[in-house]
Amino acid sequence: MKDYFAPSELIINDDGSVFHLHLRPEQLAQKVILVGDPGRVQTVAAHLDHIECDVASREFHSVTGTMNGTRLTIISTGIGCDNIDIVLNEIDALANIDFATRRLRPTLSSLQIVRIGTCGGLQPDTPVGTFIASEKSIGFDGLLNFYAGRDAVCDTALEQAFLRHMQWQGHQCIAHPYVASADRRLLDAIAADDMVRGITVACGGFFGPQGRELRLPLADPMQNEKIEAFSYNGLRITNFEMESSAVAGLSALMGHQALTCCMVIANRRALNADANYKQRIDTLIRIVLERLTALA
């Protein structure tokens, strides 16, 4: 592992903040909430008792404050695993690299990271409004395949079972899927006994990769049916979203604890959706915040 990080690799702004997020190391809390929509940052921040800083840059809006005496940072990532690659690497740098010397800190920090988002349900028992905690995430994006050590943090047996089920072995046109797991301690503490636990597919797009067909035909018209029928050691694929695999996989590689919790806003089997979900997701936000702040 590198000990010194050149300016081309770790870009630091003139004010001492990291390049994309514009956060300085002292502005990052140990507990981090990720949301996709920059507008949702204020929805989460409304639960805080005190706000220290509020920073916006591009789609990345960050607020740090306290709730019940616990310090939290809320960050919007925008949509997709590519943005998660930026956010996870930059918050890890904020936590573990000395910006003055560009060297690793002598003691590394492990962050607790929870993504709160929306998703599409794929099973009859995941109707609109269901809260799902991603016990496993299958990444269709291929992001983790660019990092050394991915096999050590991935469920490679589940990967192979999924490839066989989908008949994707040797398929040269599809990024090799990877399977990352949620941190068990976070999963048990936050999902508790009132969230559905299952396998989430993190897709590289909203339309074709999730089996939606508008003017462009799909390469595999039966993709969703195959996905819905897959099971592994008692787990089924419960939902589609677009970030959970990168959150779980990068966090595991970096030594952080991570979990994704989503509310179903569309059920692909029932062919229905709730476009007015924003008020209802506040319940999920409150539950996650209360359970995360209670966790040591």
Side-chain angles (χ1 to χ4, degrees), residues 21 34-38 40 59-60 75-89 115-118 138-144 147 178 201-207 209-210 240-248 250 260 262:
L21 299 184
L34 301 181
V35 296
D37 182 358
R40 195 173 298 148
E59 62 265 60
F60 308 115
I75 303 174
S76 64
T77 65
I79 297 174
C81 287
D82 50 348
N83 278 10
I84 297 297
D85 184 60
I86 292 171
V87 173
L88 261 292
N89 274 283
R115 169 175 137 69
I116 303 174
T118 58
I138 303 177
F140 280 10
D141 54 285
L143 174 66
L144 218 65
Y147 289 93
Y178 60 93
V201 170
C203 297
F206 184 77
F207 290 94
Q210 295 187 30
F240 275 147
E241 52 90 80
M242 296 177 65
E243 292 87 15
S244 62
S245 59
V247 172
L250 289 174
T260 291
C262 288

Side-chain angles (χ1 to χ4, degrees), residues 133-136 155 181-192 197-198 235 256-259 295:
S134 304
E135 184 166 345
K136 305 271 187 180
D155 189 334
S181 301
D183 178 79
R184 176 56 59 177
R185 183 164 174 262
L186 274 185
L187 178 67
D188 290 342
I190 294 176
R197 304 185 190 199
L235 287 175
H256 303 304
Q257 305 163 50
L259 172 68
L295 189 62

Side-chain angles (χ1 to χ4, degrees), residues 1-208:
M1 181 182 293
K2 285 185 178 181
D3 179 56
Y4 176 79
F5 305 92
S8 60
E9 309 305 293
L10 173 61
I11 304 174
I12 300 173
N13 300 314
D14 290 342
D15 64 355
S17 65
V18 73
F19 185 59
H20 295 93
L21 299 184
H22 278 253
L23 285 176
R24 299 190 303 275
E26 69 272 15
Q27 294 176 316
L28 180 73
Q30 189 268 336
K31 296 179 187 289
V32 180
I33 297 291
L34 301 181
V35 296
D37 182 358
R40 195 173 298 148
V41 171
Q42 292 297 351
T43 303
V44 180
H47 293 269
L48 300 181
D49 305 316
H50 170 72
I51 292 177
E52 295 176 22
C53 67
D54 188 326
V55 179
S57 173
R58 306 186 195 189
E59 62 265 60
F60 308 115
H61 182 192
S62 306
V63 170
T64 295
T66 55
M67 176 181 173
N68 300 330
T70 300
R71 198 162 177 255
L72 295 162
T73 295
I74 307 152
I75 303 174
S76 64
T77 65
I79 297 174
C81 287
D82 50 348
N83 278 10
I84 297 297
D85 184 60
I86 292 171
V87 173
L88 261 292
N89 274 283
E90 292 200 353
I91 65 174
D92 179 73
L94 290 166
N96 289 311
I97 297 175
D98 185 326
F99 278 27
T101 65
R102 295 183 169 274
R103 296 189 182 278
L104 283 176
R105 297 184 187 278
T107 302
L108 298 182
S109 296
S110 178
L111 304 173
Q112 291 178 334
I113 302 165
V114 182
R115 169 175 137 69
I116 303 174
T118 58
C119 67
L122 293 172
Q123 300 296 339
D125 60 345
T126 57
V128 169
T130 302
F131 298 159
I132 298 178
S134 304
E135 184 166 345
K136 305 271 187 180
S137 294
I138 303 177
F140 280 10
D141 54 285
L143 174 66
L144 218 65
N145 300 331
F146 289 88
Y147 289 93
R150 59 85 80 198
D151 284 1
V153 300
C154 287
D155 189 334
T156 55
L158 197 160
E159 286 177 16
Q160 293 304 315
F162 182 74
L163 284 169
R164 288 192 297 272
H165 176 81
M166 297 296 291
Q167 300 177 335
W168 283 356
Q169 303 103 311
H171 199 304
Q172 300 302 311
C173 295
I174 295 175
H176 192 293
Y178 60 93
V179 179
S181 301
D183 178 79
R184 176 56 59 177
R185 183 164 174 262
L186 274 185
L187 178 67
D188 290 342
I190 294 176
D193 59 0
D194 54 4
M195 293 188 193
V196 172
R197 304 185 190 199
I199 302 172
T200 297
V201 170
C203 297
F206 184 77
F207 290 94

